[in-house]
Amino acid sequence: MEGMQQTTQAVRVCTVAELSDGEAVRVPPEETGTGAISVFNDGGEFYALDDACTHVGASLAEGYIEDGEVVCPWHGSRFCLLNGELEEGPATEDLRSYGVEVRDGSVWLLLEDTTGR
Ligand code: FES
């Protein structure tokens, strides 16, 4: 789009030691500049998805991880950790997914920042 520029903004989430296997950390909107985003550790790999379930908004950081998916704590919808795709309802929409990077012993959330707004 004209006059718009895409840059990547990194938000420090926590240290690698603070996010153990099977756990999630919720990064609040004040830090992401958009909605809350959850960062998950599944077997030493990190993934980031929108925190709010697309059904009625439960915090997915409060859910649990199984078979590469996060399971919503309220009604059990399942989303792929890799790309946010809905695998099982009652939700009907996918989640957005984000990049994660491990650098200097910390976990960083990578956000596309549209400047020039
Ligand atoms: S809020 Fe997640 S399944 Fe209902």
Side-chain angles (χ1 to χ4, degrees), residues 22-27 36-40 49-53 58-65 70-73:
E23 303 276 304
V25 168
R26 179 182 181 274
V27 185
I37 295 175
S38 284
V39 181
F40 303 87
L49 302 175
D50 282 331
D51 179 61
C53 178
S59 168
L60 293 171
E62 307 292 318
Y64 65 93
I65 295 172
V70 56
V71 183
C72 178

Side-chain angles (χ1 to χ4, degrees), residues 40 47-50 52-54 60 68-70 77-88 91-98:
F40 303 87
Y47 305 93
L49 302 175
D50 282 331
C53 178
T54 57
L60 293 171
E69 299 167 356
V70 56
S77 287
R78 303 176 74 107
F79 301 90
C80 175
L81 285 173
L82 207 56
N83 56 19
E85 258 177 39
L86 177 70
E87 303 290 349
E88 201 178 301
T92 57
E93 280 175 52
D94 298 342
L95 294 167
R96 268 168 305 192
S97 62
Y98 304 87

